[in-house]
Amino acid sequence: MSKKTVKLMQGNEACVEAALMAGMKFFAGYPITPSTELAEISSEKLPRVGGKFIQMEDEIAGIAAAIGGSIAGLKSMTATSGPGFSLKQENIGYAAIAEIPLVIVNVMRGGPSTGLPTSPAQGDVMQAKWGTHGDHAIIALSPQSVMETFDITIKAFNLAEKYRTPVIVLTDEVVGHMREKIEIPEPGDIEIVNRTVPGPGEDYLPYRLEAGDIVPKMAPFGAGYRYHITGLFHDETGFPSNSTENADIMLKRMISKIEDNRDDIVMFDEFMMEDAEYAIISYGSTARTVRNAIKTLREQGMKVGLFRPITIWPSAEKEIREVGRKVKKIIVAEMNMGQYVQEVERIVKSDAEVFHLGRANGEVLMPSEVVQKAKEVF
Amino acid sequence: MTSEIVQKYFRIENLPHIWCPGCSNGVVTRALTVAIDELGLDQDNIVVVSGIGCSSRAPGYLDFNTLHTTHGRGLAFATGIKLANPKLDVILIAGDGDVSAIGGNHLIHAARRNIDITTIVFNNNIYGMTGGQYSPTTPTDAKGTTAPHGNIDKPFDIAQLATAAGATYASRTTAYHVNQMVKYFKDAITNKGFSMVEVASICPTYYGRKNKSGSGVQMMQTLKNDFIDRMAYDKLPEEKKAGKHLMGVFKNITLPEYTAEYQRVIEALQGGESNE
Ligand SMILES: Cc1ncc(C[n+]2csc(CCOP(=O)(O)OP(=O)(O)O)c2C)c(N)n1
Ligand code: SF4
């Protein structure tokens, strides 16, 4: 049995703890409720491990500096909420096209605009996927608890490094601020992935995919390779290219490195799904409400189960399709006016009838509401 | 025949460049490589960052670690790189629009922090890349494609803006004054802190055409005639001062540098060990 340290922690605190264990050495951001603790704790802890923290002048600068940190070779993170997430979008696209590993934490709060600064929401689910302009693939993970925030943050860094991509941790005000007991593993018991770098003296083309690699190797600036990074479409050399043929190849590689590796990237959880005739699909803190409601419904004899995507993007397409084939009806429960439900409808098509239970007024869903909705439509 | 400088510091395979005939971007970019050569800096250790614009395409032609970012954000990316690895020599190339409009906030804060980044502004008083719209440095009454009736805005003085914000080195020269430009670049790169060299430049294609400023050669001549050293200016008789623009060094002082201060924090906490 490996040793674990038990601690009482807030979700945001667990996120930084995990980031440090994953090897984060650079944090740049701008304070905003309910994500501020991420900046505060990073500023306290990073210099202790020789890492760097900087409070930038705005969220745009926060993500830009974090990308810079990653290009210089450090595992980097930025964190924000609502309005700040909107400001970061252009540079999320930059990190996607330039293939820069980066973790972006968005502790979701009520919106649009300044909205409900201190209230939970799950209204940025679609923005996480399509917030930046242009075609691209993205990874977004959503934890339901403090422990899972820890695990997912480690995973986010690993995926960012492995696939050379920005990874979004979509948590929410409830998970970010809730205090729970968590078990922190020993550093040696955690799987850590580092980006592949070119060997010394290697003939290096920054965007050439070598046989056996998932993504091109990434040299840190200053290591002697003197190459170019741009947000323009570029070829293997890293220099801009106007060729439509090249753009096609590059875009497809950028998207397929994520889409084709769904099995590695997609995480999900099921509760009482074995014999379920009805399913509720829910993620993040809302899934806890649903789990609670399912126990009540089961006691009342309704065969209902929970399917909980942990990886929000790319979606658990295969598994959600199976859920659709297995059950007659599905409720998607989320703290918004109907976002992930669209993805579920797209996947299950006519295999099952899909209903939505959602709200975005700053109040979390209550188990009783879930029970009521289930009784209504199932 | 390409000169030794061009051979050594330019990515010959990416030439010819995209700039218009008569544009001063090539002159300024070359002057930067001369300054780097004269300083004897290690090519592998130099990072050149830019935003978006005609001038921001310069890094793609230069054989260093080069980063072409998003419009206006170059300094924020550069800040991340410099803080992550303070041993690197970080230089930003920016247009006047890039650095003083969309990127103005990053400019004043990088200057305020006195982070060791050298910022070189190719100030052609116009948005070149997007086709001649007025910028924050377009003179009042001048024309741009979005100021067809004459610009009613008042222009920024970028070098003074950087000075006021906290830059420890700030100077202005022109694309015509190549020797002075090289000297200023060297002084700026050598300064341990935030440095700004504003280079009055020309865009014959848009600014020139819209404002009937003549050919590239004539516009260069205008730079030569209109810019005067700030010390010399003070000695000019009043009647000769009209229409003159100041160049020279506006600031050159030493203050604690941001990444060095951060290093002190690390050392105080853990006794010198860092990830560098
Ligand atoms: C966010 C964003 N807004 C606008 C643009 C369009 N744009 C590209 S370059 C540019 C201005 C360029 O002017 P300047 O920075 O002065 O550089 P120059 O081209 O004159 O060298 C603009 C507005 C953009 N690329 N990104
Ligand atoms: S548009 Fe103006 S700034 Fe751009 S390359 Fe042409 S002359 Fe130079």
Side-chain angles (χ1 to χ4, degrees), chain B residues 19-20 23 25 54 124 128 203-206:
Chain B
W19 298 318
C20 309
C23 178
N25 286 349
C54 293
N124 57 10
C203 169
T205 302
Y206 292 113

Side-chain angles (χ1 to χ4, degrees), chain B:
Chain B
M1 256 288 290
T2 41
S3 71
E4 262 175 55
I5 287 282
V6 173
Q7 288 282 1
K8 180 159 185 205
Y9 296 105
F10 281 75
R11 289 165 169 152
I12 310 277
E13 69 279 16
N14 293 352
L15 298 173
H17 53 64
I18 60 161
W19 298 318
C20 309
C23 178
S24 61
N25 286 349
V27 178
V28 184
T29 306
R30 188 178 187 284
L32 173 62
T33 61
V34 173
I36 287 169
D37 192 63
E38 289 183 9
L39 287 172
L41 298 176
D42 176 1
Q43 211 161 336
D44 284 338
N45 205 48
I46 294 174
V47 178
V48 185
V49 183
S50 69
I52 300 292
C54 293
S55 41
S56 286
R57 293 300 282 269
Y61 305 124
L62 293 173
D63 191 8
F64 302 110
N65 304 281
T66 54
L67 182 66
H68 180 227
T69 69
T70 46
H71 190 30
R73 315 301 171 195
L75 269 175
F77 282 79
T79 296
I81 292 173
K82 181 70 189 177
L83 179 59
N85 184 356
K87 288 188 193 125
L88 297 171
D89 298 311
V90 182
I91 297 167
L92 180 89
I93 287 178
D96 41 295
D98 192 72
V99 85
S100 75
I102 191 165
N105 200 28
H106 311 309
L107 170 63
I108 58 175
H109 289 280
R112 175 180 61 80
R113 288 181 195 110
N114 194 34
I115 187 163
D116 188 12
I117 295 170
T118 296
T119 295
I120 296 171
V121 183
F122 292 40
N123 182 2
N124 57 10
N125 311 102
I126 203 89
Y127 287 172
M129 177 129 270
T130 40
Q133 300 77 26
Y134 67 93
S135 88
T137 63
T138 303
T140 309
D141 297 331
K143 289 194 171 160
T145 56
T146 47
H149 313 297
N151 183 24
I152 60 168
D153 276 13
K154 286 176 279 302
F156 260 145
D157 179 328
I158 294 180
Q160 296 280 23
L161 178 66
T163 306
T168 43
Y169 176 91
S171 63
R172 178 160 51 232
T173 180
T174 87
Y176 175 84
H177 299 86
V178 172
N179 291 339
Q180 188 185 53
M181 183 164 42
V182 170
K183 175 167 184 345
Y184 286 1
F185 288 167
K186 283 161 68 179
D187 292 348
I189 294 168
T190 312
N191 174 47
K192 285 270 159 278
F194 187 82
S195 306
M196 153 71 65
V197 184
E198 179 191 341
V199 184
S201 307
I202 58 166
C203 169
T205 302
Y206 292 113
Y207 190 89
R209 217 185 274 165
K210 274 273 153 199
N211 290 285
K212 305 195 168 50
S213 320
S215 67
V217 177
Q218 282 166 311
M219 290 179 81
M220 280 294 218
Q221 200 62 40
T222 307
L223 291 177
K224 179 190 175 199
N225 295 336
D226 286 3
F227 279 80
I228 177 168
D229 189 84
R230 52 192 289 248
M231 304 299 183
Y233 178 85
D234 288 341
K235 292 185 196 126
L236 275 189
E238 277 315 307
E239 68 275 15
K240 290 205 166 154
K241 285 186 173 170
K244 292 289 183 202
H245 301 293
L246 302 188
M247 55 185 192
V249 179
F250 297 97
K251 192 103 187 182
N252 193 4
I253 59 168
T254 305
L255 284 175
E257 191 273 327
Y258 186 83
T259 62
E261 290 303 292
Y262 200 94
Q263 198 55 38
R264 285 199 320 128
V265 173
I266 292 176
E267 278 164 21
L269 288 169
Q270 61 162 27
E273 238 180 280
S274 95
N275 58 293
E276 283 173 54

Side-chain angles (χ1 to χ4, degrees), chain A residues 78-242:
Chain A
T78 186
T80 192
S81 297
F85 194 53
S86 292
L87 285 178
K88 289 188 191 294
Q89 295 302 327
E90 185 191 10
N91 284 335
I92 291 177
Y94 185 89
I97 195 169
E99 302 187 70
I100 311 298
L102 176 71
V103 175
I104 303 142
V105 184
N106 175 15
V107 187
M108 290 185 282
R109 68 185 225 181
S113 191
T114 311
L116 294 160
T118 55
S119 303
Q122 294 175 314
D124 306 345
V125 169
M126 282 298 174
Q127 190 190 18
K129 181 154 176 66
W130 292 125
T132 197
H133 58 283
D135 287 286
H136 63 286
I138 198 90
I139 300 177
L141 313 173
S142 189
Q144 68 161 358
S145 65
V146 177
M147 186 67 234
E148 205 168 79
T149 302
F150 182 93
D151 294 337
I152 269 183
T153 305
I154 302 257
K155 184 84 182 173
F157 273 92
N158 287 348
L159 292 172
E161 294 286 316
K162 184 168 179 183
Y163 295 102
R164 283 192 65 172
T165 182
V167 175
I168 297 165
V169 176
L170 265 185
T171 157
D172 60 61
E173 193 277 335
V174 175
V175 174
H177 283 164
M178 142 176 34
R179 276 182 192 284
E180 280 182 322
K181 223 186 263 174
I182 73 163
E183 291 180 344
I184 300 182
E186 289 289 296
D189 296 334
I190 297 175
E191 193 211 352
I192 303 291
V193 178
N194 296 314
R195 64 191 74 170
T196 53
V197 295
E202 204 171 290
D203 172 25
Y204 179 57
L205 280 182
Y207 291 93
R208 180 175 60 194
L209 187 62
E210 311 275 2
D213 284 350
I214 305 168
V215 293
K217 294 187 169 62
M218 184 173 170
F221 268 16
Y225 296 95
R226 296 209 304 265
Y227 67 100
H228 189 62
I229 301 179
T230 177
L232 288 166
F233 272 87
H234 44 270
D235 59 24
E236 292 182 333
T237 63
F239 296 116
S241 161
N242 283 329

